[in-house]
Amino acid sequence: LLYGGFAGTARADHWRWDGATWQQVAAVGAPGAVFGALAALDEVRQRTVLLGSFTGALQTWEWDGLAWSLRDASSHPPISSSCRMAFDPARGQVTTLYPAVQVWNGSLWQSVPFAGQLPAMQSLVTDTRRGGLLALGSSGPLAVTTMTAQPATGTVVGSACALVDPPSLVALELPALGHSGFALDLGTLAPGAPCVMWFGVGGPDTIGPCA
């Protein structure tokens, strides 16, 4: 979904991409011209949330697939040029970062506490597979910061001993007891090379130079 734009002046263009072509949308109750707005899909409520400056005032609008509606024109977050917005599947809410953490509950924005310093970032993205929110850093090497507190995480233990690039073992979703979605993704394998995996409850074991 694309809304707004700039061509000499701010525009109120509204388009939808169906996977093959762009189609212009005849929007009902469109919010008006805007440039540089923030938008994210609220996956729980199935609404596109749009936050931007309309007629000089910050407003929050929602698109339900058929029409736009003004949801909030007063309690908007204190956004800046560095502000980013995305859906946090752990909270189940659209979230903005910078200069504070704010969540959208469908009718107003609310501040939420955050321990630590917010990272400098270029983008904020939804990690649907692991159920979290990621901030992608603005400097090289690219820094990835998990913005969602996780009850459990996967940690690399030991060292590989491959002749070329070592294989990688990445935890998918939460490594918690009873969570059927948890899986391990094995990557960076040499073509045709054998691979052996085993599991235990102790520390890392040793096979020659590998731990």
Side-chain angles (χ1 to χ4, degrees):
L1 186 71
L2 179 150
Y3 186 86
F6 185 84
T9 59
R11 301 181 65 89
D13 290 358
H14 193 186
W15 294 78
R16 177 187 286 118
W17 172 255
D18 63 6
T21 59
W22 283 97
Q23 298 177 344
Q24 193 164 11
V25 179
V28 177
V34 67
F35 172 66
L38 302 174
L41 173 65
D42 187 328
E43 297 180 12
V44 172
R45 300 173 54 252
Q46 287 298 295
R47 300 286 191 274
T48 299
V49 181
L50 180 69
L51 173 64
S53 178
F54 302 90
T55 63
L58 278 174
Q59 297 176 353
T60 303
W61 290 73
E62 287 189 345
W63 166 254
D64 63 4
L66 298 174
W68 286 97
S69 60
L70 176 61
R71 302 297 299 160
D72 182 42
S74 59
S75 66
H76 55 78
I79 66 172
S80 68
S81 59
S82 300
C83 187
R84 299 292 184 267
M85 185 164 77
F87 179 76
D88 185 348
R91 291 190 176 99
Q93 294 175 309
V94 169
T95 304
T96 63
L97 293 187
Y98 274 127
V101 180
Q102 302 251 344
V103 296
W104 173 249
N105 67 5
S107 59
L108 55 86
W109 291 95
Q110 296 175 313
S111 297
V112 295
F114 179 77
Q117 184 177 0
L118 295 178
M121 61 181 175
Q122 285 186 336
S123 61
L124 187 67
V125 296
T126 300
D127 187 345
T128 303
R129 186 63 184 267
R130 295 175 179 84
L133 194 63
L134 301 179
L136 304 185
S138 57
S139 60
L142 184 64
V144 180
T145 304
T146 301
M147 302 304 302
T148 304
Q150 301 286 2
T153 58
T155 303
V156 177
V157 177
S159 58
C161 56
L163 297 178
V164 287
D165 293 333
S168 62
L169 196 62
V170 179
L172 303 178
E173 300 198 21
L174 297 180
L177 292 175
H179 182 51
S180 61
F182 173 68
L184 293 174
D185 183 33
L186 183 63
T188 326
L189 296 179
C195 180
V196 177
M197 295 176 61
W198 73 93
F199 298 86
V201 295
D205 215 335
T206 301
I207 304 176
C210 316

